[in-house]
Amino acid sequence: MDFTKEKQRASAWFWQLRDEIVAAFEALEDSHAVGPLSEAAPGRFEMTETRRASEDGGDAGGGLMSVMRGGRVFEKVGVNVSEVHGHLGEAAQRAMAARGVPGMADDPAFWASGISLVAHMQNPHCPAVHMNTRMFWTPHAWWFGGGSDLNPCIEYAEDTAHFHQTQQAYLDPHGTGIYPELKAWADEYFYIPHRGRARGVGGIFMDDRNSGDWRADFALTQDIGRAFLPAFAPLIETRRVQDWSDADKDAQLVHRGLYAEYNLVYDRGTKFGLATGHDANAVLMSLPPMAKWI
């Protein structure tokens, strides 16, 4: 099962989505904002190439890490895209086998490509957000995964409704049961057991998606990505001009502590990236620039 053309097509899509999101986020930076950096120059992404550490010192692929820090709207936002390959280590093989991925003992070769982003905002009224989509391949299997979830520290019911309704509108053409399934999966996946609560207000999530129809699964993955900007950007357009207090900022920093705890303790993507030798700075890009614990 080679899937060369399919892998190329998926990787090209992730890069295209990355370009669209980076352009949209820089456009938000050009718009008016409030706060101590409102008169500063608009923030811009800094690009850094990343490489995966291979087992034998050869080429194992890499990607592009795009990070903006200290913007007028975004305090820290990273948009990473990658295409990596090689052989899974023993720990990763066991983890994949435990999830039902076939053939790990016979051939641990893999290929993976995807886009991942996390945005932490200056204004506490603007919600933080996460999105990723990815394709994973082995000689015996392939699947897609990803989703997006909203993480406000100050919750607005209308923002949560818009985020979910937009995602549902993009997913319903793939079957009216898809959105409820992926929403329930996100509610379970983004839960923090030791805190007894979710890290945000949910969204959509899927993993190990292989219906047997590659084109259909890829189309669903694309629409998860396409839904992101219409679901998120209007919220920032509305909230970026609201005044905030020191108490609001303090609440934001405390809420970011939840985000950091989840990503370091539970997030499967963080664990996989570090275990398979991907650039640690790119893997940990999701962590907020500042956080606070009570």
Side-chain angles (χ1 to χ4, degrees), residues 231-243:
F232 177 65
L235 309 182
I236 307 308
E237 289 282 3
T238 299
R239 303 296 173 195
R240 61 184 167 79
V241 295
Q242 289 185 232
D243 290 327

Side-chain angles (χ1 to χ4, degrees), residues 32-38 72-73 122-123 239-244:
H32 175 68
V34 300
L37 294 175
S38 61
R72 299 194 297 189
V73 177
Q122 294 281 9
N123 192 323
R239 303 296 173 195
R240 61 184 167 79
V241 295
Q242 289 185 232
D243 290 327
W244 76 78

Side-chain angles (χ1 to χ4, degrees), residues 96-225:
M96 291 296 172
R99 287 163 54 188
V101 176
M104 283 288 98
D106 301 321
D107 189 346
F110 83 99
W111 173 97
S113 182
I115 177 175
S116 178
L117 78 83
V118 175
H120 298 286
M121 315 305 294
Q122 294 281 9
N123 192 323
H125 296 284
C126 292
V129 74
H130 152 265
M131 187 278 291
N132 79 81
T133 59
R134 58 192 179 276
M135 176 186 166
F136 196 92
W137 171 94
T138 75
H140 302 278
W142 55 264
W143 63 88
F144 291 95
S148 60
D149 66 300
L150 198 67
N151 297 270
C153 71
I154 301 173
E155 296 183 18
Y156 292 92
E158 59 269 34
D159 290 5
T160 302
H162 171 83
F163 191 75
H164 283 278
Q165 289 166 2
T166 303
Q167 291 178 325
Q168 182 172 4
Y170 276 80
L171 267 57
D172 275 354
H174 300 274
T176 55
I178 294 290
Y179 169 75
E181 175 189 350
L182 269 57
K183 179 184 182 300
W185 202 335
D187 289 341
E188 179 181 355
Y189 185 77
F190 296 114
Y191 185 79
I192 307 174
H194 67 268
R195 294 294 186 184
R197 58 157 295 173
R199 75 177 189 184
V201 295
I204 51 177
F205 180 78
M206 68 178 185
D207 215 348
D208 302 345
R209 176 80 181 184
N210 183 337
S211 69
D213 185 335
W214 186 90
R215 291 179 181 272
D217 292 345
F218 180 45
L220 171 61
T221 303
Q222 288 177 297
D223 276 337
I224 289 174

Side-chain angles (χ1 to χ4, degrees), residues 267-286:
D267 186 71
R268 187 182 294 172
T270 300
K271 294 179 180 179
F272 181 83
L274 294 175
T276 55
H278 199 56
D279 186 288
N281 288 328
V283 175
L284 298 174
M285 169 272 296
S286 61

